[in-house]
Amino acid sequence: MRVFTSDKIRNVVLLGHGGSGKTSLAESMAYLSGLKDKAGSVEAGNTISDYDGVEKKHKFSVHLSLLPLIWGETKINLLDTPGYPDFVGEVEEAVSVADAAVIVVSGKNGIEVGTRKAWNLCEKYHLPRIIFVTDMDIDEASYRQVIEDLQALYGKKIAPFHLPIRENGQFVGYVNIIQQKAKRWNATGGIDKMDVPDYSYENLDQFREVLLEAVAETSETYMDRYFNGDTFSEDEIRQAMRVSVIDGSVVPVMMGSNLSHRGMYTLMADIVKYFPSPDRRSCVGIDPKTNEAFEADYDFSKPKSAYVFKTLVDPFVGQYSMIKVNSGVLKTDDLLYNAGRDREDKIGKIYLLTGSKAQEVSELHAGDIGALSRVADLSTGDSLSTRAHPVTYLRPVISKPYCYLAYQAEKSGDDDKLQQALQKIAREDLTLRTQGDPANHQSLIYGISRAHLELIAEILADKYKLTMLLDKPLVAYRETILGKSDVEYKHKKQTGGHGQYGHVKMTFEPSGDLSVPFVFEEKVVGGSVPKNYFPAVEKGLAERVLEGPLAGYPIYGVKATLYDGSYHPVDSSEAAFKTAASMAMKEGILQAKPILLEPIASLEVTVADERIGDVMGDLNKRRGRVMSLDPVEGGYQVVRAEVPYSALYEYGTNLRSLTSGDASYCYEFLRYDPCPADVQEAQISIRSAQNA
C-alpha cells in the first residue's frame, strides 16, 4: 500500500449496539473499496474483521480490528469494534485514536442501549459523527422512526442527509436532501436519476429546513441571508455542513443495506467530505525533561512521536503493537525512545494491519495508524519519541473490571502455563486482571462480566489449548471478638530427654482497630516469663490469627496481653512458648464472644430514571442500604448504597437483565461489619462441611 500524507487520512471508528451491523458494514465497505474481491458475511465466518476463532464461533466481534480502505485519493483507517459491553475495553482503545465515528443503528431494531453509549463516547472524546441506519432492505425497518427517536434524544443537531425510496416493499433508491434529487440503484450497482416520489416531499421539506438552519448558524452573513429568505447553493451547504459536522453541531443521518452494498458509496464519499483529517485535530503530550506541553497536532514537520493504543499477542506470530503516529514521519529502522521505560530501540519494520494480516510499509505519516513487531518491553499506553525530543502521552481511560470469579487450571500441572497465557491475554485486554486471595486459598480473575470471563476461558482453550475452570468466589470473611476473656495455657511434654514447657496467662479483648490482626502487649511482673520468650509468644499469636477457631477465617481486631506464666530452666524453649500462646489464643477467642465480619462495599449504580425502582428493590433484596440518590445528565440517576460483598456475586449480570443493559456500576471496599446471625451460621456450617 502506498504512503498517505496526513491530509489524505481519515481515522474512523464504527460504534453501535451489538448486532446492529457494524462488521457487515465494514465488510461491505472493504468490498466496494477493492480491499476484497468478494464480500464475506458474519454468518459464513469469512469477514476481515472477525478473524478470531471465538468470533467466528459466536458470530460477533470480540476484538477491535483495523481495515485500511482506499477511497479515491484518501485512506480511511476503519476501526471495527465490538458492540457488546463485555468488551468495552476494545472500544475505548479504538475511540482513543479515532478522529471521527460512524454510529451504526439497525433500522429494524431502532435506537438501543448501545446507540446511546456510542453517542456518549463520542461526546466524551469530542468526535464528529455520522449515524448510518442499516437493514433498510428489511420490511420492518423504519427510517422515519429512527430519525424521530434520534431527534427526541439529541434535538435539532440530527440532520438526515437522505430519505429512502421503496417500491413494492423493496428498498430501491434514496432522495438526496442537499441536492433535492432522487436516485435509483440499477442492476450494475450504479445509480440512475428519478423523480422525487410525492410521498417524500413532506419529509424532504422538513429535513431540508433543519439543514438550512444549521447552515445559517455557521456565520452571521449566512444567518442574515437565511432570515431574508435567501437560498444557499449546494457548495455553500456542503461547506457549512463540513464545519458543523466537525464541531459536532450537526450529525448527519444516512442509510443503506449492508447485504446489497447500497448506501456505502455515499457513506465513504461523505466520510472523505465531512470528517476531519488528523491534522485538523489537536494532540498534546508532555516533555518529561521540562514538564512542558508538546503540541504534536499530527504535524509531519515536528519531531517524530507515536502512541501505542493496542497490543495484539499471537502464540505463534508474537506481539504486534498498534500505534498512531502523533507527529513527524516514522520510517523503517528508526531509533525511538520509550521515555516511560527509559530505553531506546530500533523499531525495525513497520506494518499495516488488515484484520489479522500484516503488510510492510516504508513509512507512516503523522495521523496514520500502523503496527510494530518485536519491540522490547512495549505495552499499550507507551509513548515513543526520540531521545533528543522525548514525549509522553496520556494513557487511555479503560473501564475497570468489577466482576470476579475464582479460577484454576483443570490439570494441576498446567498452573504455570495458565498463568503465562493469562498474562499474554491481559496484555491484549486491559479489562482483564488476576490476583491471589490468600485468606481463602483461591485465585481470582476480574473482568467486565461473567460472559467476558467465560469467553476468556474459550480463548485459552482455542489459542493455548488450556482449560480454565471458573467458580463462585469465596468471600473474604474475618473473625473478631466482642467480649473479653482470661485464659491460661500450659504446654508441657516429656519425651525422655529435654522436654517442652511453656506456660502463659493471657487476656484477649477487642483492640478497636479492625484493620490489623492483633496488638500484643506484655505486663509480666517479676520475670515469671523471661523477656527472651516474648517474641516467641508474639510469633504464636501471628500464626494463630491466620485461621480463626470459629470458621477458619483470619482474625482481626484483637488485643492480646501476656500478664503471667511460668517457665522451666531446662525444658522451656521458644517453640514451647510459641505453641502455648497459639493455643491460648484459640481458647481465648472462643471465650470472648467471637463473631464473623463481612466485607462491605460502597456501590454506585448509574441507571435511567424509569429503571430506578427495579434497581432499588433489587438492592434491598441484597441487604443493601441506599445512602443517596442523585440525578445526573441525560435522564439518569446515581444510586449510592452500601452492600455486602457476598451480595455482589453476579450483580452485573442481574443489573443488565433488570435494566436491559441501560445501567453501569462500580464499587470499592468500605469496611468490615458484623455478619447477621443467619449468615454467620451458614458460613460456619459451610466451612465445617469443607473441613469434614
Side-chain angles (χ1 to χ4, degrees):
M1 185 177 286
R2 67 183 189 269
V3 174
F4 288 82
T5 55
S6 305
D7 61 317
K8 298 296 183 182
I9 295 169
R10 304 290 186 272
N11 297 313
V12 182
V13 60
L14 294 181
L15 302 172
H17 195 83
S20 59
K22 295 182 297 301
T23 297
S24 297
L25 175 60
E27 189 71 10
S28 182
M29 294 169 71
Y31 167 63
L32 293 177
S33 67
L35 188 63
K36 290 189 73 174
D37 295 330
K38 183 179 180 181
S41 70
V42 173
E43 289 71 24
N46 57 355
T47 65
I48 296 181
S49 296
D50 290 354
Y51 55 82
D52 187 272
V54 173
E55 292 176 314
K56 292 179 180 180
K57 173 185 174 182
H58 290 283
K59 303 189 187 309
F60 59 70
S61 299
V62 173
H63 310 289
L64 76 85
S65 57
L66 176 66
L67 282 69
L69 312 178
I70 308 303
W71 193 252
E73 296 301 313
T74 302
K75 177 186 178 187
I76 301 173
N77 286 319
L78 196 66
L79 294 151
D80 184 22
T81 65
Y84 292 106
D86 313 280
F87 318 111
V88 65
E90 304 285 324
V91 180
E92 290 165 333
E93 288 172 333
V95 169
S96 73
V97 293
D99 300 312
V102 173
I103 299 177
V104 182
V105 178
S106 166
K108 178 182 176 182
N109 299 329
I111 307 304
E112 299 175 272
V113 172
T115 311
R116 294 194 289 272
K117 289 185 176 180
W119 182 281
N120 292 338
L121 265 179
C122 291
E123 291 287 291
K124 177 180 177 181
Y125 285 88
H126 307 292
L127 292 182
R129 70 216 73 157
I130 287 173
I131 294 174
F132 189 83
V133 182
T134 61
D135 295 334
M136 291 307 299
D137 52 335
I138 298 175
D139 284 343
E140 295 89 345
S142 176
Y143 182 74
R144 180 186 178 88
Q145 188 62 53
V146 171
I147 296 297
E148 290 178 355
D149 292 344
L150 285 170
Q151 290 178 334
L153 283 170
Y154 307 118
K156 289 185 176 181
K157 64 173 58 179
I158 298 298
F161 272 24
H162 304 123
L163 295 172
I165 297 175
R166 292 182 180 275
E167 290 180 358
N168 300 320
Q170 300 296 311
F171 178 48
V172 298
Y174 64 95
V175 179
N176 185 310
I177 293 176
I178 293 177
Q179 297 176 336
Q180 302 184 84
K181 294 178 180 178
K183 300 174 183 179
R184 178 197 300 273
W185 287 290
N186 57 38
T188 64
I191 55 173
D192 298 324
K193 294 180 180 179
M194 64 176 290
D195 293 332
V196 176
D198 291 340
Y199 64 79
S200 296
Y201 275 107
E202 181 181 351
N203 288 334
L204 174 58
D205 293 341
Q206 176 186 339
F207 294 151
R208 183 172 171 78
E209 192 62 29
V210 174
L211 289 180
L212 295 180
E213 286 182 18
V215 172
E217 291 180 0
T218 58
S219 74
E220 290 185 7
T221 301
Y222 280 3
M223 183 67 75
D224 291 339
R225 287 177 57 187
Y226 175 73
F227 282 119
N228 290 329
D230 200 355
T231 59
F232 299 108
S233 68
E234 182 179 333
D235 287 342
E236 286 174 330
I237 293 174
R238 291 194 182 280
Q239 182 57 39
M241 282 296 99
R242 177 168 170 76
V243 173
S244 299
V245 171
I246 288 177
D247 69 18
S249 59
V250 168
V251 177
V253 184
M254 307 171 69
M255 47 85 200
S257 164
N258 297 340
L259 297 180
S260 59
H261 314 300
R262 292 180 173 179
M264 287 74 199
Y265 278 105
T266 309
L267 175 61
M268 287 190 280
D270 283 357
I271 283 174
V272 174
K273 286 178 190 174
Y274 297 113
F275 279 167
S277 54
D279 55 0
R280 296 285 302 273
R281 304 271 293 170
S282 64
C283 176
V284 180
I286 298 292
D287 183 332
K289 287 183 178 179
T290 64
N291 212 29
E292 294 179 352
F294 172 70
E295 296 180 355
D297 294 340
Y298 307 110
D299 187 336
F300 76 94
S301 66
K302 291 185 177 180
K304 58 189 67 183
S305 66
Y307 172 76
V308 181
F309 71 92
K310 177 68 181 173
T311 301
L312 301 174
V313 181
D314 188 285
F316 305 106
V317 177
Q319 174 176 307
Y320 284 109
S321 299
M322 297 180 71
I323 60 169
K324 185 177 186 182
V325 183
N326 290 346
S327 60
V329 179
L330 259 60
K331 298 185 177 182
T332 300
D333 291 334
D334 269 345
L335 195 64
L336 293 182
Y337 177 62
N338 186 335
R341 303 181 189 276
D342 192 24
R343 63 175 296 155
E344 197 172 32
D345 290 287
K346 186 180 287 188
I347 63 173
K349 297 176 180 178
I350 301 173
Y351 299 92
L352 291 182
L353 295 183
T354 305
S356 62
K357 297 179 181 178
Q359 175 186 354
E360 288 184 37
V361 288
S362 59
E363 60 186 52
L364 287 177
H365 281 238
D368 211 348
I369 292 174
L372 306 176
S373 177
R374 299 185 179 91
V375 179
D377 292 335
L378 199 56
S379 301
T380 301
D382 284 352
S383 301
L384 296 173
S385 53
T386 62
R387 190 178 284 275
H389 297 92
V391 182
T392 59
Y393 294 97
L394 288 176
R395 295 173 178 267
V397 178
I398 304 296
S399 294
K400 183 178 177 180
Y402 289 100
C403 173
Y404 65 98
L405 296 171
Y407 77 95
Q408 63 181 18
E410 183 180 48
K411 299 177 182 177
S412 58
D414 286 344
D415 287 339
D416 290 341
K417 292 179 182 178
L418 178 60
Q419 290 304 318
Q420 292 171 9
L422 284 173
Q423 287 175 10
K424 290 180 180 179
I425 296 175
R427 284 159 65 186
E428 289 188 284
D429 185 350
L430 299 187
T431 62
L432 180 74
R433 65 181 177 89
T434 60
Q435 72 177 49
D437 176 17
N440 288 300
H441 310 291
Q442 62 182 350
S443 296
L444 301 176
I445 183 167
Y446 283 75
I448 296 299
S449 65
R450 187 184 186 102
H452 177 212
L453 296 177
E454 289 174 345
L455 204 92
I456 294 298
E458 288 191 42
I459 292 172
L460 284 165
D462 183 59
K463 283 189 175 182
Y464 298 94
K465 311 306 176 189
L466 292 167
T467 301
M468 178 176 69
L469 302 178
L470 298 171
D471 200 0
K472 181 178 180 179
L474 299 174
V475 177
Y477 291 99
R478 290 178 177 178
E479 299 185 20
T480 193
I481 53 176
L482 297 178
K484 183 175 182 178
S485 62
D486 189 333
V487 298
E488 177 180 4
Y489 192 90
K490 186 180 292 185
H491 178 64
K492 183 177 180 181
K493 278 189 178 181
Q494 193 66 41
T495 56
H498 281 300
Q500 296 182 40
Y501 185 90
H503 176 208
V504 296
K505 293 181 179 180
M506 303 185 70
T507 60
F508 298 93
E509 60 190 311
S511 68
D513 184 358
L514 291 174
S515 66
V516 294
F518 73 99
V519 176
F520 172 61
E521 284 189 5
E522 55 81 19
K523 295 183 178 180
V524 177
V525 178
S528 56
V529 177
K531 290 183 178 180
N532 59 304
Y533 291 130
F534 292 168
V537 171
E538 189 167 6
K539 286 181 182 178
L541 300 175
E543 287 187 2
R544 174 54 61 187
V545 296
L546 298 177
E547 188 173 313
L550 195 61
Y553 289 105
I555 298 170
Y556 275 78
V558 173
K559 179 181 179 181
T561 304
L562 173 68
Y563 68 90
D564 201 358
S566 64
Y567 74 102
H568 189 279
V570 175
D571 292 343
S572 286
S573 64
E574 289 187 1
F577 271 97
K578 179 179 168 183
T579 300
S582 176
M583 297 306 294
M585 187 176 209
K586 181 178 180 180
E587 291 185 7
I589 295 297
L590 289 173
Q591 295 176 26
K593 298 181 182 178
I595 61 166
L596 279 190
L597 298 171
E598 63 178 349
I600 303 297
S602 175
L603 174 71
E604 287 190 6
V605 183
T606 303
V607 60
D609 291 339
E610 60 268 22
R611 305 284 189 176
I612 196 73
D614 295 333
V615 169
M616 293 181 68
D618 180 66
L619 288 174
N620 288 333
K621 293 176 185 177
R622 295 172 183 269
R623 296 192 287 123
R625 290 193 301 167
V626 175
M627 309 303 289
S628 67
L629 195 60
D630 302 307
V632 291
E633 291 183 1
Y636 288 82
Q637 296 200 46
V638 176
V639 182
R640 294 180 173 86
E642 296 179 0
V643 185
Y645 266 70
S646 60
L648 290 176
Y649 177 64
E650 299 278 21
Y651 183 68
T653 302
N654 193 67
L655 182 65
R656 186 180 300 182
S657 176
L658 276 177
T659 64
S660 300
D662 197 10
S664 60
Y665 75 103
C666 63
Y667 64 86
E668 61 182 14
F669 172 76
L670 183 61
R671 64 176 182 272
Y672 271 87
D673 276 353
C675 280
D678 58 332
V679 175
Q680 176 167 308
E681 290 173 8
Q683 284 302 312
I684 293 173
S685 297
I686 291 170
R687 298 288 274 203
S688 297
Q690 290 173 345
N691 297 327

